[in-house]
Amino acid sequence: MREETRNRGRWWVAGLTWLCLCIVMSVTSCVPAMAPALIGGMSGGMASTLKDAKARKANKKAAKKERQQTQKQSPLSYNDSQRLKYFYLEALNLQEQGKYDAAFDLLKHCETINPYAAEVYYAEAAYYVELKNDSMALACMQKAADLNPENDTYLERLAMTHINSRQFDEAVADYERLYANNKDRSDVLNILFQLYNQKKDYPHMLTTLDRIEAAEGSSEQLALSRMRVFAIQGEKDKEYQVLKDLSDSHPNDMNYHVMMGNWLLQNGQDEGALEQYRRVLAEEPEHVAARMSMLDYYRTTGADSLAKALQEEMLVSQSVSTDDKVTLMRQVVADNEQMGGDSTKVMALFQKMLAVPQKNADIYELYVAYMNLKKMPQDSINMVLRQALEVAPDNVGVRLQLVQSEWVAKNYDEVIALCEPATEYNPDEMAFYYFLGLAHFQKDEHDQTLSALRQGLAQVNEESNKDIVSDFYAIMGQILYQKGKAEEAFAAYDSCLQWKEDNIETLNNYAYYLSERGEQLQKAERMSLKTIKAEPANSTFLDTYAWILFMQERYEEAKIYIDQALQNDTTSSAVIIEHAGDIYAMNGEMGKAVEFWQLSKDSGNDSKVLIRKIRQRKYIKEKK
């Protein structure tokens, strides 16, 4: 069939391309996420230079003077208070209706009624923010907070505005006032700690930690934060004392002894570190953190043979988590590569690890990644992938890697065998229906192709990949047309173009099929024109457009495009050559037409109508 020869290779390449994308998106990283920093920085890039101290002081004095003046407000009369309430509520009502200009005008009117109404300035601030007038927004927020210093909302918004304006000293003052109003808000203290950290005000950082501890009680996080401050200040003795107090207060928690050992090791006190690790391992021989730290100790002190022995012991230990094993194994690979990359040692270690029953496929995936790095034979890689599937049959990434390998090798039966169970293990993964359908399509098993694609379409939702859903319908349309179900095919094509209106393969096939039937030729022409604009050197698309013009009896135009199709045809397509003969015949060039028809016959076209054209030396319309 004409359409099948045009599209079979295209679907194979499309399948491989999309499969590669699926693998990249589906294979989860085996590397455990790094622990977040104990103390993060404030948002908004607070590391910029603060304002000049003298200018800041002058601004504070001016602000204080203004606050003192604004506080001297006269009480409103009853009528003015009612007017203020009416216009303020009306401004809010207009704002709800989206009439922002009118609402803002009413707020300014409220300001004339009572220049000391904090709520009015607070509302105005939001408008200045939208207008990108930061100075006026800040001034309004400041005035609202000054007029109503007990209002936490105003004060907190002012503090945030100061932070966004990079006025960190002012933000500190705001949050200190806010905390003075709310002694139970430890979240405010946490923000203050970050602000003092930004200012490198270490004494205030420590006093803030004291206040947090008084409010919430002692904790490991607070102790570690104190240690960090002391470390920055270079006060090692105080840093050590905090950690010692933490460890002494939890004598039965071995994790604190490991922390103590790690601190000693990092600070050059190897013997002290070793003592802590041995104490932990005497109590809990399988303590993973202690064994990991002991491994660091051996490496630090140059005990390479002991480090290697412990490392291998941990890699096969059931008490060590898979994540920790992956981390260790990555270190093994990195060290091995630095030493020259002797893969035999690493491979042997992987095989030793995998001889122990696995809980998931993580080690297998790491092994496969290493084998790919070392360009191992694909058969060997596939063997490991299949072992991984036995352990984790629902692992999408592993299965897709196998599908990719078998697809490249054109082992369509294997692709089918891999994808069929996957539709049960991972029923919402569109990739498996896609390749199950494509594999059947490559084998000319059209009923099975339709069945697979329809199963996949049952899983479609708003988050589905539009390109893939579009291709589902495109393949269905092609098969349905081949089966003589033109109306169903065209319905599938319409659905395809709803998901992706520029699916040029569908536009071309849809247009050609309509022209074959002599139906909706103007619609066919519009669709076909889109394809040649997208790919002006595509001989198939040019041929389709030429044929649609031919069917509309626009023979001279058709000749222009069929000539371009012939110039760009690198396959000597018998269909294109026969069309050229038909078009030349209807343009009155019968000698040239017969040459094209004969060339089409020589290219393998055994159509009985074609033979009659040659014998009778005239165009004969083929009955559909």
Side-chain angles (χ1 to χ4, degrees):
M1 294 287 290
R2 162 193 156 106
E3 62 276 6
E4 190 166 341
T5 58
R6 289 184 172 196
N7 289 294
R8 187 180 299 278
R10 180 254 171 184
W11 291 121
W12 188 90
V13 174
L16 179 58
T17 302
W18 191 67
L19 183 55
C20 292
L21 291 174
C22 287
I23 291 172
V24 171
M25 296 173 66
S26 300
V27 178
T28 57
S29 173
C30 295
V31 183
M34 293 182 66
L38 293 175
I39 307 171
M42 291 294 292
S43 63
M46 294 175 57
S48 62
T49 306
L50 298 177
K51 291 182 177 180
D52 180 82
K54 291 184 178 179
R56 246 188 350 258
K57 189 173 181 180
N59 289 338
K60 285 183 178 179
K61 286 184 177 180
K64 184 177 180 180
K65 183 177 181 180
E66 180 182 353
R67 286 198 296 271
Q68 291 172 343
Q69 291 175 345
T70 57
Q71 297 296 335
K72 299 176 182 177
Q73 50 182 295
S74 302
L76 285 181
S77 67
Y78 176 78
N79 286 339
D80 284 343
S81 65
Q82 291 300 106
R83 287 174 59 224
L84 175 66
K85 181 185 296 185
Y86 171 78
F87 286 116
Y88 178 71
L89 292 176
E90 184 60 22
L92 297 184
N93 183 44
L94 290 171
Q95 181 177 301
E96 287 294 321
Q97 297 177 39
K99 300 176 180 179
Y100 302 114
D101 290 344
F104 185 73
D105 288 342
L106 281 186
L107 288 174
K108 299 303 289 184
H109 182 60
C110 289
E111 192 180 324
T112 64
I113 298 172
N114 183 9
Y116 305 107
E119 67 274 17
V120 172
Y121 294 106
Y122 181 77
E124 288 178 358
Y127 284 87
Y128 286 120
V129 169
E130 289 297 319
L131 293 170
K132 310 296 184 186
N133 191 334
D134 295 338
S135 60
M136 284 300 297
L138 180 58
C140 286
M141 284 307 312
Q142 183 73 64
K143 200 154 191 175
D146 288 341
L147 288 167
N148 191 349
E150 303 301 319
N151 189 308
D152 294 341
T153 300
Y154 295 173
L155 191 53
E156 192 162 8
R157 187 64 176 269
L158 174 63
M160 293 171 62
T161 304
H162 276 135
I163 289 176
N164 291 334
S165 300
R166 313 175 84 81
Q167 299 179 19
F168 305 125
D169 284 350
E170 289 78 1
V172 166
D174 295 334
Y175 277 111
E176 287 289 5
R177 287 170 60 194
L178 185 61
Y179 182 69
N181 293 342
N182 301 272
K183 296 291 187 181
D184 59 338
R185 288 195 59 179
S186 56
D187 62 311
V188 173
L189 290 175
N190 286 316
I191 296 174
L192 277 168
F193 180 79
Q194 301 288 359
L195 286 167
Y196 286 129
N197 179 42
Q198 182 63 38
K199 288 160 53 67
K200 295 181 172 54
D201 187 344
Y202 303 122
H204 275 100
M205 288 178 71
L206 292 170
T207 56
T208 303
L209 289 174
D210 290 339
R211 288 191 284 175
I212 295 174
E213 186 172 24
E216 298 182 348
S218 59
S219 69
E220 177 184 326
Q221 183 65 41
L222 288 174
L224 294 174
S225 296
R226 278 197 182 88
M227 288 179 63
R228 178 179 178 274
V229 176
F230 288 136
I232 294 173
Q233 291 179 304
E235 299 187 54
K236 292 291 183 183
D237 291 343
K238 291 182 179 180
E239 184 184 0
Y240 171 78
Q241 190 59 49
V242 172
L243 182 55
K244 186 177 185 304
D245 291 343
L246 184 63
S247 178
D248 290 345
S249 63
H250 300 82
N252 297 321
D253 191 332
M254 295 296 105
N255 291 319
Y256 292 116
H257 293 293
V258 174
M259 290 170 61
M260 176 66 76
N262 292 345
W263 188 90
L264 292 169
L265 185 63
Q266 291 168 11
N267 287 277
Q269 301 182 43
D270 300 345
E271 292 303 316
L274 180 60
E275 181 181 346
Q276 293 290 331
Y277 300 149
R278 283 177 172 170
R279 176 179 176 181
V280 175
L281 292 173
E283 292 285 335
E284 299 179 25
E286 296 297 317
H287 196 288
V288 175
R291 298 172 80 188
M292 295 284 280
S293 294
M294 184 66 86
L295 187 59
D296 289 337
Y297 170 80
Y298 287 145
R299 288 171 175 160
T300 301
T301 58
D304 295 337
S305 59
L306 291 174
K308 180 180 178 182
L310 178 57
Q311 182 174 258
E312 292 189 10
E313 179 185 331
M314 293 179 69
L315 286 172
V316 298
S317 172
Q318 293 282 24
S319 64
V320 179
S321 71
T322 301
D323 286 345
D324 287 333
K325 288 181 180 180
V326 167
T327 301
L328 284 170
M329 202 58 202
R330 287 186 180 277
Q331 185 62 50
V332 169
V333 172
D335 292 343
N336 182 268
E337 289 299 304
Q338 288 183 354
M339 297 292 290
D342 184 355
S343 62
T344 58
K345 295 179 180 179
V346 177
M347 297 279 284
L349 193 51
F350 266 119
Q351 291 164 9
K352 189 175 181 180
M353 292 171 65
L354 293 174
V356 178
Q358 300 294 307
K359 297 178 181 178
N360 54 47
D362 290 356
I363 302 299
Y364 289 103
E365 290 185 88
L366 185 61
Y367 190 17
V368 167
Y370 181 72
M371 295 175 78
N372 281 319
L373 174 69
K374 291 299 183 180
K375 303 187 184 306
M376 298 291 180
Q378 190 62 49
D379 289 346
S380 300
I381 295 174
N382 287 355
M383 185 182 301
V384 177
L385 288 169
R386 291 188 181 280
Q387 291 172 353
L389 273 189
E390 291 177 7
V391 173
D394 60 342
N395 188 303
V396 174
V398 168
R399 194 176 290 271
L400 281 174
Q401 288 183 74
L402 268 172
V403 170
Q404 178 191 34
S405 174
E406 301 297 353
W407 184 263
V408 171
K410 299 186 179 180
N411 295 330
Y412 302 123
D413 287 334
E414 288 298 323
V415 173
I416 292 169
L418 286 165
C419 290
E420 282 183 340
T423 60
E424 297 181 12
Y425 286 118
N426 310 99
D428 57 344
E429 181 54 64
M430 297 288 288
F432 295 120
Y433 301 102
Y434 184 73
F435 289 101
L436 178 60
L438 281 182
H440 282 301
F441 181 71
Q442 295 293 336
K443 295 182 65 183
D444 294 323
E445 297 171 347
H446 292 165
D447 289 339
Q448 292 92 325
T449 301
L450 289 173
S451 175
L453 296 179
R454 282 167 176 157
Q455 287 181 59
L457 288 173
Q459 308 298 324
V460 170
N461 55 52
E462 293 180 356
E463 297 180 0
S464 298
N465 185 303
K466 293 184 178 181
D467 290 343
I468 300 306
V469 177
S470 177
D471 280 351
F472 271 51
Y473 282 113
I475 300 170
M476 288 177 62
Q478 182 173 329
I479 294 172
L480 288 167
Y481 192 82
Q482 291 176 22
K483 293 171 75 68
K485 300 179 179 180
E487 295 306 316
E488 292 182 45
F490 295 159
Y493 280 148
D494 286 332
S495 296
C496 167
L497 295 174
Q498 285 180 357
W499 282 88
K500 185 182 180 184
E501 63 181 11
D502 60 346
N503 188 320
I504 58 174
E505 295 291 341
T506 292
L507 288 168
N508 175 74
N509 289 344
Y510 197 177
Y512 184 72
Y513 292 150
L514 286 173
S515 71
E516 276 194 325
R517 297 169 63 86
E519 299 176 2
Q520 303 182 64
L521 294 178
Q522 290 185 345
K523 176 181 179 179
E525 181 186 350
R526 288 194 300 271
M527 290 191 293
S528 182
L529 183 59
K530 290 181 181 179
T531 69
I532 59 174
K533 285 183 177 179
E535 295 185 16
N538 187 308
S539 60
T540 299
F541 296 169
L542 289 164
D543 170 57
T544 297
Y545 190 65
W547 190 248
I548 292 169
L549 295 174
F550 176 84
M551 292 297 294
Q552 293 177 304
E553 299 181 0
R554 293 158 62 182
Y555 302 127
E556 291 183 2
E557 294 176 72
K559 184 171 179 286
I560 294 171
Y561 286 97
I562 200 64
D563 284 345
Q564 292 181 42
L566 290 169
Q567 291 171 8
N568 288 282
D569 181 21
T570 59
T571 62
S572 298
S573 167
V575 174
I576 295 177
I577 297 171
E578 182 181 1
H579 284 169
D582 295 345
I583 292 169
Y584 269 79
M586 298 308 291
N587 274 284
E589 299 182 45
M590 191 56 65
K592 191 67 175 176
V594 173
E595 289 181 20
F596 280 125
W597 290 333
Q598 184 63 50
L599 184 57
S600 177
K601 180 176 180 296
D602 295 341
S603 297
N605 188 343
D606 57 358
S607 166
K608 293 181 180 179
V609 174
L610 176 63
I611 295 173
R612 287 174 58 201
K613 291 178 188 176
I614 297 172
R615 289 177 178 172
Q616 298 180 28
R617 297 180 63 84
K618 69 176 183 179
Y619 168 69
I620 301 172
K621 185 176 182 180
E622 187 172 355
K623 295 180 180 180
K624 299 294 181 182

